[in-house]
Amino acid sequence: MPPTSDHAQHQPLSRSIRIGLAQLNPLVGDLEGNGRQVLAAARQAAAAGVQVLVTPELALWGYPPRDLLLLPTMLRRQHQVLDALAQAVPENLRVLVGGVTPLGDGGDCPLHNSAALVGDGCWRMVAAKRLLPSYDVFDERRYFRPGRQPCLVEIPLAGRSLRLAVTICEDLWADPRLPLQPTYDCDPVAELAPLAPDVMVNLSASPFAVGKQTLRRELATAAAARLGCPVAYVNQVGGNDELVFDGHSFVVDPQGAVVLQLPSARPASHWVRLGLPPDRLPHGGPAAPSAGFPMAVASPQEELWRMLVLGLGDYARKCGFRSAVLGLSGGVDSALVACVAAAALGPRQLRGLLMPSAFSSPGSVADALALAQVLGMATTTAPITPLVDAFAQALRPALGQDPDGLTAENLQSRIRGALLMAMANQEGHLLLSTGNKSELAVGYCTLYGDMNGGLAVLGDLYKTDVYRLCRWLNGPTARQQRRGAGLPTQGALIPEVILSKPPSAELRPNQKDSDSLPEYAVLDPILKKLVEEHHTPDQLIAAGDDPALVQRIWSLLRRAEFKRRQAPPVLKVSGRAFGTGWRMPIATC
């Protein structure tokens, strides 16, 4: 933790509190390992003189633990971990640790999503989450019951007690200004105001989405103004399955100024000294920032890149994979996936398989090899034309003819998928799917073919997003990120020819994506309105979009649902991704 400023060092101890934020990257279900992370942060905090340390929501479990919460053995392990923490946490330090409270009354949803206060050789649950989200990727009412009372913890300090308000994640989000938020029956922040807290903390596990960091800051600033006190927001960091948590923990003072900002995309622990007046004042006390803060805000493309690299790296690491394989086609999607994987795992841990057919252009093969050379990754070439011919011969008695049309196209994709799966199985690689959100939306992908894989890295990026991120990655503003990931910093990372040629699956002569789909610049805005903004076709038509085009896209979107149910997990980076946050029926009118 960095030293505090000279101004903060000269504040009387009785008039201030050193509060620490531990932005952790837990492994879901690893209570003992996550407990060790908490203890390491606690020891670091104690050495810096921190008096209260705050960890993320469900820090001992990792978020989201899902049905692990239903296992009695896990609850017993949590109790043991908290007992061990209580004995090991240094003196004069209190730690707020995210966990669960078994209610033991035999009712439905027999748990609280809670915060435990650990210190002085003991622990106790002090807060229960009031607002339980059950929208998008969240399903907390399956497991938890809402807390009924606001939480104010009094922690003795030299000369006075700290009045600490404790909230958990969604408790901060009861704001009627937020679009598409549920209507809750209470406002946890409003109910804390009569209790006159000195500081409010929020233990959070808030997944990344573009633009969400600004919204969190606005909510915390509004809460600080309503309570007249500083607000400390502590977020989880890291990838857990399809969700990626960006961290970006912070502290704001009562006037909304950022007095501490933790980085994105990596674990970190820092602290700040907050002024506490002898008697509670309506507008709280001043806050002195730690040295080096606030940090610069990254561009949207840089933040998106970080999240993809973090999400892929953690997915592989936490699932036990050290290497990955993907099909390199010479197209833009596989090129971007290769760059993300090289940054996340290292180019030496990445294999590319080139599988040209009779319809593959010589340029596509050359483009794929050029990309691999720039990245320093190994490749193997396995032509599929002999396999296509052998499959056609085997199918001729059953079909009465050679496969043709869509059957022949999908057959090529499935042969490639089989080769990739064989390579993944034989060598223990994680197979990366290279499809994007546009393709998943309209079904422009092949089951048991290009949809094969353990993770869809770009499954929440529309095709136009893919191009935009590639252009940024090739530009000068990405050099620092490329250097930090061990990627070449000079020149274009993705050959310009890959970005300039028309997209094509190359499954028939002279094929282009635009033969089957509207141009992506036209398709993607309509898809975004339908998928992420909850618009209906009638609304789009009334707003001026072409009726025939809208109905065609809507029909493709609905008909492809059965494919999406069989897709690999998609790294979520938008407000609404295909996967757990998309729950549409397959059979519908």
Side-chain angles (χ1 to χ4, degrees), residues 308-318 321 340 344-345 455 571:
L308 293 174
V309 172
L310 176 64
L312 169 54
D314 270 5
Y315 186 90
R317 176 177 62 87
K318 293 178 179 181
F321 291 100
V340 173
L345 306 174
L455 183 68
L571 285 182

Side-chain angles (χ1 to χ4, degrees), residues 92-362:
N92 301 319
L93 175 67
R94 309 304 200 284
V95 186
L96 280 167
V97 182
V100 303
T101 302
L103 299 179
D105 58 8
D108 293 335
C109 305
L111 302 170
H112 279 322
N113 184 337
S114 302
L117 184 64
V118 182
D120 288 336
C122 60
W123 63 271
R124 61 189 174 96
M125 293 295 180
V126 295
K129 189 172 183 178
R130 308 287 308 282
L131 306 183
L132 302 179
S134 293
Y135 58 88
D136 192 37
V137 298
F138 307 106
D139 195 14
E140 292 199 21
R141 287 189 176 272
R142 175 182 173 91
Y143 309 102
F144 300 117
R145 262 185 262 169
R148 294 302 180 189
Q149 301 294 329
C151 172
L152 187 79
V153 180
E154 295 207 13
I155 297 177
L157 302 175
R160 62 159 291 172
S161 291
L162 170 70
R163 298 172 62 81
L164 187 68
V166 182
T167 60
I168 301 176
C169 202
E170 190 81 359
D171 294 346
L172 192 64
W173 291 69
D175 192 321
R177 298 172 300 172
L178 296 179
L180 304 178
Q181 288 294 108
T183 300
Y184 291 112
D185 60 2
C186 72
D187 183 341
V189 173
E191 293 185 16
L192 284 166
L195 304 179
D198 296 315
V199 180
M200 190 192 92
V201 298
N202 184 266
L203 289 70
S204 191
S206 178
F208 171 80
V210 174
K212 201 171 182 181
Q213 295 157 2
T214 300
L215 181 55
R216 295 185 198 127
R217 186 76 50 79
E218 291 173 353
L219 290 167
T221 297
R226 295 165 74 187
L227 298 176
C229 71
V231 171
Y233 177 92
V234 186
N235 194 26
Q236 179 176 290
V237 69
N240 284 333
D241 295 349
E242 73 273 32
L243 301 183
V244 190
F245 300 84
D246 52 293
H248 257 121
S249 306
F250 59 87
V251 179
V252 295
D253 69 13
Q255 290 72 43
V258 178
V259 297
L260 181 65
Q261 171 70 70
L262 272 61
S264 72
R266 62 181 176 87
S269 293
H270 291 283
W271 65 272
V272 66
R273 190 195 295 273
L274 300 174
L276 301 176
D279 297 310
R280 178 71 166 83
L281 299 177
H283 298 293
S290 296
F293 293 98
M295 298 178 64
V297 177
S299 70
Q301 296 305 314
E302 180 178 338
E303 202 63 34
L304 181 59
W305 166 259
R306 288 177 180 175
M307 292 304 106
L308 293 174
V309 172
L310 176 64
L312 169 54
D314 270 5
Y315 186 90
R317 176 177 62 87
K318 293 178 179 181
C319 291
F321 291 100
R322 299 183 61 186
S323 59
V325 63
L326 75 157
L328 279 183
S329 66
V332 66
D333 298 312
S334 64
L336 181 55
V337 172
C339 292
V340 173
L345 306 174
R348 293 182 180 274
Q349 303 302 318
L350 184 61
R351 292 284 301 275
L353 186 60
L354 283 69
M355 297 165 286
S357 74
F359 307 120
S360 299
S361 65

